[in-house]
Structures are given as structure tokens and as C-alpha cells.
């Protein structure tokens, strides 16, 4: 029931594959959010934070390039 934040690490710390996808589900009633580490761009927001929708909402992060990701699904 507590809030959780997922931080997407930079390419320098994780060897992401070129076509990496990460699926995240908000399983709990507590708020869920996704943020990028310093230098990580998600949907054009450097180190921006996105909040998942209601419980059981699902989002996907799709790697587009080094430290560049697109987030799609139920988030704002």
C-alpha cells in the first residue's frame, strides 16, 4: 500500500540491448511512478517522473537509443 518509484538507470550502469522493453504493472493500491536517472530521457523529459494510473495499470518502456526511452501505457 506504500508508494513505489522505479528509477530507470543509465546505459553506463546497465548493458541494455538495442530492443529492450520493460513492462511495469502497478499491482498495489499505493501510488507508482517511473523516473529516469540523471541523463536518461523518457518521452522527451530528462529525469522526468511519470505516475502510473489506477491499480493494475500497465506501462511499457521501449529503448530507442542509448539513454533514450519511450514510455507508453496508462501513465501521466
Amino acid at each position: 500500500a506504500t508508494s513505489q518509484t522505479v528509477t530507470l538507470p543509465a546505459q553506463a550502469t546497465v548493458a541494455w540491448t538495442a530492443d529492450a522493453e520493460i513492462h511495469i504493472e502497478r499491482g498495489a493500491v499505493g501510488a507508482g511512478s517511473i523516473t529516469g536517472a540523471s541523463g536518461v530521457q523518457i518521452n522527451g523529459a530528462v529525469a522526468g517522473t511519470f505516475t502510473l494510473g489506477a491499480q493494475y495499470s500497465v506501462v511499457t518502456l521501449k529503448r530507442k537509443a542509448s539513454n533514450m526511452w519511450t514510455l507508453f501505457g496508462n501513465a501521466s
Side-chain angles (χ1 to χ4, degrees):
T2 61
S3 297
Q4 299 290 317
T5 299
V6 174
T7 301
L8 186 62
Q11 183 75 34
T13 60
V14 177
W16 299 110
T17 61
D19 57 352
E21 288 188 3
I22 302 169
H23 308 283
I24 301 169
E25 176 186 10
R26 178 182 165 188
V29 295
S33 59
I34 300 168
T35 189
S38 180
V40 175
Q41 181 175 334
I42 302 174
N43 282 351
V46 175
T49 299
F50 299 88
T51 302
L52 278 70
Q55 187 177 15
Y56 306 117
S57 296
V58 177
V59 297
T60 298
L61 288 158
K62 173 73 175 163
R63 183 178 180 273
K64 306 304 270 179
S66 181
N67 293 320
M68 185 179 297
W69 296 76
T70 297
L71 182 138
F72 55 95
N74 190 353
S76 57

